[in-house]
Amino acid sequence: MATGLQMASLAISAAGTGFGIIQAQQQANMQAAQAQQQIDMAAQQRAQQAQMANRQALLQQQGAAKAEQQQKLAYYKNVDNINAGLNRTFVAEQAKVKEARDKAAFKSQAILAKSIGTQGSILAAGQSGQSVGLMSLDADRQAGFATAQQEASIRSAELQGQISMDVATDQAKSATNRAFSQLSAPTQAPVLDPYGMQGLV
């Protein structure tokens, strides 16, 4: 009888121990599942944060690229305006030189006509001798001085025109360099977080 009781007690104890092991195993499995669920949720949250950060970085890069494009367009327009201004200066200076040449040509014709008239008057006076030759040479000399003065005025106009064009060229180069130095550095592609790459493409 004592042996039966002991056996029953042992059986109950074994059943309790088995039940305790099963219960402990279930509890361990449940804790492991909860831990895995927390890990999965943290990874999902991390991926969502990375994806938002990637989207923001891409939007910022797109905005910077648009701003850079607008800045380049403004730069090229500015360079076109600088070159147009330089061309207008060249045309204006060439027109001044042409005007000086035309004016000198008309003046030279007037000088030649005056010289011919003076010599004709000397010869028409009917005088003779060495003084007539000297008066004729003096008319030629006066005409030569006046013609040389006209040629000097042309050279002066050409030199002034060249100086003005050189100054305008230097100013245009300087303005172009200043405009170029104000351009931003090229936009770089953002460094994306690999955790947030899903859904960006």
Side-chain angles (χ1 to χ4, degrees):
M1 180 114 182
T3 309
L5 198 60
Q6 285 178 343
M7 290 199 47
S9 176
L10 279 173
I12 291 173
S13 176
T17 302
F19 181 73
I21 291 172
I22 291 172
Q23 196 175 21
Q25 184 66 36
Q26 286 177 343
Q27 191 174 9
N29 287 345
M30 191 165 61
Q31 287 176 343
Q34 287 176 344
Q36 185 61 46
Q37 188 178 15
Q38 288 178 347
I39 290 171
D40 290 346
M41 284 176 60
Q44 187 177 10
Q45 187 177 20
R46 168 77 175 96
Q48 287 174 348
Q49 289 172 344
Q51 192 174 29
M52 286 175 60
N54 285 349
R55 278 203 175 100
Q56 186 176 5
L58 285 171
L59 288 172
Q60 286 176 343
Q61 191 266 342
Q62 289 170 355
K66 284 180 183 177
E68 179 187 346
Q69 185 179 18
Q70 292 298 319
Q71 191 181 43
K72 281 184 180 177
L73 289 173
Y75 164 75
Y76 290 129
K77 186 174 181 181
N78 192 11
V79 169
D80 287 344
N81 290 336
I82 290 168
N83 288 334
L86 182 61
N87 287 336
R88 284 192 299 272
T89 300
F90 280 8
V91 169
E93 292 304 322
Q94 289 167 353
K96 286 179 188 176
V97 171
K98 184 181 181 310
E99 183 181 351
R101 284 184 182 143
D102 291 345
K103 188 176 178 182
F106 287 122
K107 187 74 173 171
S108 294
Q109 286 178 347
I111 292 167
L112 181 60
K114 183 179 178 184
S115 175
I116 291 170
T118 302
Q119 288 181 6
S121 296
I122 292 168
L123 293 174
Q127 299 177 355
S128 61
Q130 192 174 8
S131 61
V132 173
L134 289 175
M135 285 193 295
S136 180
L137 284 174
D138 185 55
D140 286 341
R141 185 175 59 81
Q142 293 295 332
F145 283 148
T147 302
Q149 188 178 16
Q150 294 309 306
E151 290 172 357
S153 71
I154 292 173
R155 286 194 299 274
S156 175
E158 289 173 342
L159 181 60
Q160 289 173 358
Q162 188 59 53
I163 290 170
S164 294
M165 288 189 285
D166 289 345
V167 168
T169 300
D170 290 343
Q171 288 174 342
K173 285 179 183 176
S174 179
T176 302
N177 289 338
R178 274 195 310 274
F180 183 78
S181 70
Q182 292 172 356
L183 286 175
S184 301
T187 303
Q188 301 294 322
V191 178
L192 300 179
D193 189 331
Y195 285 103
M197 294 301 290
Q198 184 178 0
L200 286 179
V201 179

